[in-house]
Amino acid sequence: MNSSFVKKAVALAVLGVTAPLAFAQSSVQLYGIVDAAVRHTTNQGANKSGLTEMIGGGMSQSRWGINVTEDLGGGLSAIANLEARFLTDSGVSASTNFFQQSWVGLRSKSFGQITMGRQYNMLFDVVTSTYSSFPYSPYMEAYKPEIGMSMGARANNMLKYVAEFGPVRGALQYSFDEGNKGPFTSAAQVPAAVGGATKTAGGYLRYSDKGLSVGGGFLRTTLPAGTDVDAWTLGGSYRTGPLYFNVGYGLNKRKDAYSANPFNAAVDSTLLSLYWQGSSNGGFMAGNADKRQMYKIGFGYQITPQINAGMHYFHAKQSGSAGGAFNGKADFMVAVVDYAFSKRTDAYFGVDHTKVSGGANVVLDSNGATKRTGITIGLRHRF
């Protein structure tokens, strides 16, 4: 057979396979953050002696991710995201979910976008995009009281729709529990149920124009044993020149009493406690309380092109505890100075303080501490 004919045939075959792809413009972006810090906290540990440690993210949780976009024509694009979180100090995954975000969807220039998978929820989206604590980082990873009000911040099995028209953006979400629901009949079922999927439904609306941003959101979470928790948030921010100012309010309300079935009660109370507690969340013991509110106010100031400073105050109230042992209040304060070596690399120094008071069981953690101060110094690089 003529070798020239074979070469031409192969070339035509290759062109035939690849031709349809020539019309689609796609991009793949690798991004990430590597953040490490040294942090000291007082009243930490069983004997309250304090703790000095290296942490795998002081200002931001370290991560790497991939964004994919493909132009499908006619104003329609395919989009996808995979994002994994890790601890810089040890190199291990930051959570049991290897990918903290994993979703795929379609985006239309005219009708908004719909995505499916593990994603941020409505509360997290509206707060971080509208009245976040820091203009250069939505919150401080080592100390984030506002995240304790976000009902876990993410959800598996989520459908999310987002539409933006000029300065107005709205969004809706729904996530499937995929059969992770009671009744539960043994203690052995509790860990899997707590770590499983939950049903959620909610939305938010925000307006942003000429430095002013305001918004609010709602999310109902049905815990695995059937307890409903309603969460609301409302707030705003204003930027003018070097000044950034923000205020916000959050409410979490457990609508139902826990089940008389002890295993059902254990699942739902454990999961709500995980949402509300944790030193990095600025959390305090939830116990049998059914309502938590938080107010926040703060500002940031760009002192020089390299130096940014910010201070924030949060006040929380917890109520609904039978007998009052877990009814109380908490005050959180944090101040951070950030120095930018470049657009991608910065160093930061932060001081935070927490104080709780109220019923006999209103404490920060199992060691009974009611006050804690933290000092964090770290380095962060974005790519």
Side-chain angles (χ1 to χ4, degrees), residues 284-306:
F284 52 103
M285 302 296 278
N288 61 357
D290 64 10
K291 183 178 180 181
R292 184 174 286 190
Q293 301 174 79
M294 179 177 286
Y295 304 84
K296 73 169 204 153
I297 184 169
F299 76 93
Y301 191 79
Q302 191 76 45
I303 300 172
T304 72
Q306 290 78 35

Side-chain angles (χ1 to χ4, degrees), residues 75-204:
L76 186 67
S77 299
I79 53 176
N81 174 259
L82 295 173
E83 184 178 287
R85 302 294 182 100
F86 62 92
L87 304 178
T88 308
D89 56 329
S90 62
V92 303
S93 178
S95 72
T96 55
N97 300 80
F98 181 78
F99 287 117
Q100 283 284 54
Q101 290 201 87
S102 54
W103 51 260
V104 64
L106 293 172
R107 176 185 295 148
S108 165
K109 291 182 178 179
S110 301
F111 302 106
Q113 71 178 43
I114 185 166
T115 50
M116 300 181 291
R118 178 170 172 80
Q119 307 172 69
Y120 288 117
N121 68 25
M122 297 290 100
L123 304 174
F124 185 93
D125 277 352
V126 71
V127 172
T128 56
S129 67
T130 311
Y131 42 102
S132 60
S133 296
F134 297 94
Y136 54 87
S137 182
Y139 53 86
M140 183 179 182
E141 174 63 23
Y143 190 79
K144 47 187 181 183
E146 63 271 57
I147 301 302
M149 300 292 290
S150 67
M151 296 301 294
R154 304 173 185 87
N156 296 340
N157 317 314
M158 186 196 296
L159 285 170
K160 181 193 288 188
Y161 174 73
V162 181
E164 193 159 3
F165 302 98
V168 178
R169 181 193 300 167
L172 297 169
Q173 80 165 68
Y174 182 86
S175 67
F176 302 88
D177 59 28
E178 296 191 341
N180 182 39
K181 53 188 176 182
F184 301 103
T185 57
S186 72
Q189 295 176 293
V190 173
V194 169
T198 57
K199 184 171 73 173
T200 67
Y204 76 78

Side-chain angles (χ1 to χ4, degrees), residues 38-41 50-54:
V38 174
R39 179 169 169 82
H40 175 77
T41 48
L51 178 66
T52 301
E53 59 183 334
M54 180 174 287

